[in-house]
Amino acid sequence: MSELTGRKIGFIGAGNMASALIGGLVKSYLVEPKMVMASDVDPERRGRASREFGVRVTPDNGEVARFADVLVLVVKPKVLPAVLEQIAPFVRKDQVVLSVCAGIRTAFIESKLPAKPPVVRAMPNTPALVGAGISVVSCGAYACDVHCRIAHAILEAVGEVLELDEDHLDAVTAISGSGPAYFFYLMEQMEAAGLAEGLPPTVVATLVKQTALGAAKLALESKDDPRVLRRNVTSPGGTTEAAITFLESKGVGQDFVAAIRQAAKRSRELGQ
């Protein structure tokens, strides 16, 4: 029996990540649509959730808070304080609050909810949209094992789940939360180079996407770490070595590490 059996799940926010989670739960039959309610200020997003998944929708965050046994907060960090103020009168001590708000610590959410419910913080990423996400969860002061298992069950509907101390979540946000954008950025540049070399657009797009997929699959299935895998492709005096040598001469690796650390810094700033 699933940890979600018989539990009503409410989503505050019905954007892309909420849609991924709702879709994963409904399509995997972990919950029935009637057991899910989503709120959003945007009628188009509410309509999409209703049409695609058959769940209840409302513009009223308080209605979702009253409905849910598990309350999932999927809103931008800048609007979270206002959302917490709206739902505070309705949140119960026995509700699980799962926050998917980048940078916001569990202690902040707990401080805004007088009932002091168990709060679990999560950082998923956008490959959840295709069931290939990776999420990391951290449990707050009032959360115990059962509350963490509930969070795991929701997030496992769209990918893998790890658990870490909350102090690591800003780094996780920078690596896996923002990480897909880094790979997409690299793919953009690879496509631009292919076009500059005269490849047809459809061909270069297929080459880049399949290469990215194959590299990820090889990394997942190999016992070797990325450094070894990269060296295996880099023959002395060959084409790959020419590219890697050029990148290293420009300090691209160091700059890339610095960029990711900027993302982690920004995540910490959001929490303040």
Side-chain angles (χ1 to χ4, degrees), residues 106-107 110 118-121 138-144 148 166:
T106 55
E110 291 161 354
V119 178
V120 181
R121 177 180 169 188
S138 298
C139 295
Y142 306 105
C144 62
C148 290
E166 188 170 8

Side-chain angles (χ1 to χ4, degrees), residues 106-120:
T106 55
F108 175 82
I109 297 172
E110 291 161 354
S111 72
K112 301 298 181 181
L113 300 176
K116 296 296 182 277
V119 178
V120 181

